[in-house]
Amino acid sequence: MGLSPPAEHPGRADGAVNGAEPEGAMVAVRDLTKRFSAGRRDGVLAVDSVSFEVAAGASLGVVGESGSGKSTLARCLLHLIEPTSGEAIIDGVALRGLAPRHLRRQRRQLQLVPQDSHAALDPRMSVRQIVEEPLVVHGERNASVRLAAVEEMLDLVGLEDSLVARRPAALSGGQRQRVSIARSLILKPRLVVLDEPVSALDVCVQAQIVNLLKSLQRTLGTTYVVILHDLALARYLCDDVAVMHRGRIVEHRPAASIIEDACHPYTRSLIDAIP
Ligand SMILES: Nc1ncnc2c1ncn2[C@@H]1O[C@H](COP(=O)(O)OP(=O)(O)OP(=O)(O)O)[C@@H](O)[C@H]1O
Ligand SMILES: [Mg+2]
């Protein structure tokens, strides 16, 4: 299995195509809202009428303080949790109400690198098993095809062959993050959502991982939604930056002009915090 750029519209669920999104949008989110314990007075409005678009092959950075709703947005976007209202259209397919069979097919194209990927990696599995697992789950029966894909992927993310038999506990933070990235890319998804891929790493390793993500995007043409704490990193890695504050997107601009043009006070405070 080679790692050529993904095909045009693999996995598109028949009959679910929504032609309304602008051409080229890989992600179109409209009024996405998530209220935990909906209907209860003490419910939490974690994501509040969020709308944005990400063009195919582009990257959106989502920045905001802890508790602003970033991880909830990531999970709603991929329908890993059901939004309370609004919709996410991915590659022209509205995920809401998709039959499980179609959703499964669509999932192959959508991957989440979860926050705290250390905890998300099964401690009993080897690096090879972790990276290979999505291929197994999605029915690749040929072991030598799987092995070739794993080797190619590990090479692409810069992990040495000698690490394939190791368990996550025997890896550095940076190596674990590379394993998570390899696992998320092995199915050659069209969209990868990365939830704080570098926040647990020291500055030097952060730079390595961010540069790796950039070069992988160039090689594979993947669309990214990347959640980050750091506006400067988002600006460096992404084409567009959205700033989230208390469940809402308060600013959304091209990365190149966010510093000059930002007008929301919360964005200004993030800019002032850049060393
Ligand atoms: N399962 C849940 N049930 C109830 N409330 C939740 C649940 N998950 C998240 N929340 C609440 O929703 C809000 C947003 O949480 P979320 O995890 O999306 O924030 P975040 O921006 O990712 O924060 P961090 O930067 O710390 O990861 C918080 O107030 C949180 O307490
Ligand atoms: Mg989070």
Side-chain angles (χ1 to χ4, degrees), residues 155-203:
D155 184 43
L156 214 57
V157 301
L159 278 173
E160 289 165 27
D161 289 348
S162 59
L163 297 177
V164 293
R166 293 225 193 140
R167 317 269 153 196
L171 300 173
S172 73
Q175 288 168 337
R176 272 197 294 270
Q177 197 52 265
R178 285 173 198 266
V179 170
S180 290
I181 293 168
R183 176 184 165 89
S184 74
L185 290 175
I186 192 134
L187 294 169
K188 291 191 278 175
R190 306 255 297 155
L191 171 68
V192 180
V193 178
L194 300 116
D195 193 350
E196 308 223 15
V198 297
S199 55
L201 306 172
D202 69 52
V203 176

Side-chain angles (χ1 to χ4, degrees), residues 36 44 46 64-73 75 115 196 229:
F36 289 107
V44 176
E65 66 191 351
S66 187
S68 57
K70 305 180 299 297
S71 295
T72 307
L73 172 63
R75 287 185 291 150
Q115 192 167 7
E196 308 223 15
H229 257 109

Side-chain angles (χ1 to χ4, degrees), residues 118-151:
H118 184 192
L121 298 179
D122 188 330
R124 294 159 303 178
M125 288 167 83
S126 67
V127 166
R128 183 188 159 176
Q129 289 168 325
I130 290 167
V131 176
E132 186 182 29
E133 191 181 43
L135 290 171
V136 177
V137 169
H138 281 273
E140 178 52 71
R141 296 217 177 99
N142 187 325
S144 56
V145 168
R146 292 200 307 265
L147 179 61
V150 170
E151 283 174 352

Side-chain angles (χ1 to χ4, degrees), residues 61-64 231 241-245 248-253 258 264 266-267 270:
V62 180
V63 180
L231 183 64
V241 177
V243 176
M244 227 176 150
H245 186 53
R248 301 194 72 112
I249 288 186
V250 295
E251 191 110 38
H252 182 171
R253 294 185 186 280
I258 186 127
H264 194 275
Y266 179 66
T267 316
L270 288 179

